[in-house]
């Protein structure tokens, strides 16, 4: 019924599959923790819908290089958004969630070291001259525990709401 409902409101196969995998994980977790007992596990017969490859949504390289050449007034929202995009590009496609969690202490020995939020994977990126210039601007006058960027995403609900708003604005500017 849940799958049929998701289909009726227009969710894609991939979205429905993600929802169903989450429901299955919660259900199986409750059983494993002894919070729920069942004689029949519906997920033994029910098959989660398969996913299909999604179309790549990245911009083409030429468009990105045109963005790099754009000049904006220093400190303007467009200027910051361009910088954030360049940092993410120079950090091998860092996502915005990881960007806003960067602290000054994550910059050491001409490297950016951080833990990927989604997977926990430790990542270390060598600094390009472009990345060094941008990070120098944002780290100036800050202590090692300070966030590099104004989102200050510490994982709390309040900072997450601020993060979502900033991500939406940055994406719009980009």
């Amino acid at each position: 019924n849940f799958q049929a409902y998701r289909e009726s409101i227009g969710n894609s196969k991939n979205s429905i599959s993600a929802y169903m995998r989450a429901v299955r994980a919660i259900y199986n977790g409750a059983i494993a923790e002894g919070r729920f007992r069942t004689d029949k596990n519906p997920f033994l017969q029910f098959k989660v819908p398969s996913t299909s490859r999604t179309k790549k949504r990245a911009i083409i390289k030429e468009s990105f290089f045109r963005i790099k050449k754009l000049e904006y007034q220093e400190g303007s929202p467009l200027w910051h958004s361009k910088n954030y995009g360049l940092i993410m590009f120079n950090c091998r496609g860092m996502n915005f969630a990881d960007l806003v969690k960067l602290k000054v202490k994550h910059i050491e020995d001409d490297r950016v070291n951080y833990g990927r939020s989604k997977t926990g994977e430790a990542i270390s990126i060598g600094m390009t001259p472009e990345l060094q210039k941008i990070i120098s601007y944002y780290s100036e006058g800050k202590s090692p525990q300070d966030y590099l960027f104004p989102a200050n995403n510490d994982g709390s609900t309040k900072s997450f709401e601020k993060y979502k708003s900033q991500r939406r604005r940055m994406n719009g500017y980009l």
Side-chain angles (χ1 to χ4, degrees):
N1 287 346
F2 183 68
Q3 180 181 349
Y5 165 72
R6 293 318 255 171
E7 289 169 352
S8 75
I9 62 172
N11 286 152
S12 70
K13 279 177 46 175
N14 289 359
S15 294
I16 294 167
S17 180
Y19 279 118
M20 296 309 294
R21 286 192 314 271
V23 169
R24 181 178 60 194
I26 293 166
Y27 183 87
N28 289 336
I31 292 170
E33 292 175 7
R35 296 175 181 257
F36 182 71
R37 246 191 338 213
T38 181
D39 294 329
K40 295 180 181 180
N41 184 335
F43 288 102
L44 295 177
Q45 290 87 25
F46 176 82
K47 297 297 176 209
V48 172
S50 61
T51 58
S52 57
R53 292 191 63 80
T54 56
K55 181 182 175 194
K56 295 235 183 244
R57 294 179 292 230
I59 65 172
I60 60 171
K61 189 168 38 172
E62 291 77 19
S63 295
F64 185 78
F65 288 126
R66 284 200 319 264
I67 290 171
K68 285 176 75 164
K69 293 178 185 176
L70 293 172
E71 296 290 329
Y72 296 109
Q73 180 181 343
E74 185 175 319
S76 70
L78 285 171
W79 184 81
H80 286 296
S81 294
K82 175 187 168 188
N83 284 342
Y84 297 168
L86 290 173
I87 291 168
M88 293 185 292
F89 174 78
N90 280 281
C91 288
R92 295 188 345 218
M94 173 189 280
N95 69 25
F96 192 65
D98 295 330
L99 179 77
V100 298
K101 289 181 181 177
L102 276 180
K103 292 185 175 187
V104 174
K105 70 180 181 179
H106 295 132
I107 312 303
E108 54 188 1
D109 301 326
D110 293 330
R111 299 196 72 76
V112 178
N113 303 299
Y114 68 98
R116 175 83 168 83
S117 295
K118 187 173 181 178
T119 63
E121 176 186 4
I123 297 179
S124 181
I125 308 289
M127 288 237 226
T128 63
E130 179 178 62
L131 183 58
Q132 178 66 51
K133 180 181 175 187
I134 297 169
I135 286 184
S136 293
Y137 172 85
Y138 289 99
S139 62
E140 189 175 319
K142 293 183 178 176
S143 70
Q145 290 302 317
D146 289 339
Y147 288 97
L148 273 173
F149 307 104
N152 302 341
N153 189 357
D154 60 6
S156 69
T157 303
K158 183 178 178 183
S159 68
F160 183 67
E161 290 303 316
K162 183 179 179 184
Y163 153 78
K164 286 193 310 187
S165 176
Q166 287 178 315
R167 182 186 61 196
R168 197 175 310 109
R169 272 196 310 273
M170 190 206 66
N171 285 337
Y173 288 133
L174 282 177

